[in-house]
Amino acid sequence: MPHLRNRHSIPILKKLGALWPVVGVLGPRQTGKTTLVHSLLGILNSVSLDELESREEAIRSPSTFLAKKGVPLVLDEVQKAPALFDEIKLRVDRKRIPGNYFLTGSSSFSSKLGIRESLTGRMGLLELLPMTVAELHEQPFRPLSKISSPGSELQTPRFDSSLIIQSAQKGGMPVPSFFRDSEQRDFYWRSWLETSMLRDLSRFFTRRYDPDFAFNILARIGAVL
């Protein structure tokens, strides 16, 4: 499948997994966080807290929930069951084994005070962003230090401006970037925006959030660009 292309973050993720008992993979919705850990790293033991039954079990008895799952374990959308963080802390403190827990979710879960207190010194973090032009076109990673070296051959651009603009217009998310049908891609982004604006932001801002005002700001930004 095209969207399973190699990500430049894989070596960093493997290094974090070799050093830290808990690894957090944060980033916007559908950047490929679960795919990165589950499919590209080959960790098949995975649970999504989007599933109501799993979420309720994790909230009701986090100790029993984790005991049944074993390790290494991928917990997707882990911020939806905050009770898991303290239980993971207890397990890590009893036996610190690198790469036991991979937590994926929005960047908000690392910003909550209780979670920071639970996992500080126990978790390595990786932020996964949309795919770069190099990743989309299966080109190797170029470290900034080498590109900026005087006289380096790497200073020569690999991609012309039209290809960069075309890639930017697709948005960089793994799935829509490989849609051949532009209408399907437009439909994907409309759905993505609606979910992000109506569900994700409303959870973050709670009562102060006005989705109509947020959509108006977004429309203004789009008009300027």
Side-chain angles (χ1 to χ4, degrees), residues 58-183:
I59 294 170
R60 183 172 61 251
S61 180
S63 177
T64 302
F65 177 82
L66 290 178
K68 288 166 55 178
K69 301 303 178 183
V71 291
L73 174 64
V74 180
L75 292 167
D76 189 29
E77 298 300 332
V78 66
Q79 74 275 3
K80 295 184 178 181
L84 285 173
F85 290 99
D86 282 337
E87 182 60 29
I88 290 172
K89 171 185 178 295
L90 291 174
R91 289 171 178 268
V92 167
D93 288 347
R94 288 192 203 113
K95 199 168 185 179
R96 192 181 179 99
I97 300 175
N100 264 359
Y101 298 100
F102 289 82
L103 314 181
T104 71
S106 67
S107 57
S108 63
F109 87 64
S110 68
S111 65
K112 295 179 181 177
L113 180 59
I115 296 169
R116 289 207 308 269
E117 290 175 347
S118 295
L119 298 180
T120 296
R122 302 169 181 86
M123 179 169 67
L125 289 174
L126 170 70
E127 183 177 10
L128 187 66
L129 299 174
M131 298 180 79
T132 65
V133 178
E135 287 174 327
L136 288 170
H137 296 280
E138 300 183 289
Q139 294 296 313
F141 177 66
R142 281 186 172 182
L144 183 60
S145 58
K146 292 186 178 181
I147 296 174
S148 59
S149 299
S152 171
E153 294 181 359
L154 296 180
Q155 289 184 327
T156 304
R158 286 184 290 178
F159 310 106
D160 60 39
S161 58
S162 62
L163 184 62
I164 293 173
I165 292 171
Q166 182 186 59
S167 299
Q169 289 173 336
K170 292 180 178 179
M173 294 299 192
V175 172
S177 292
F178 298 100
F179 281 160
R180 296 180 182 273
D181 189 333
S182 60
E183 290 185 3

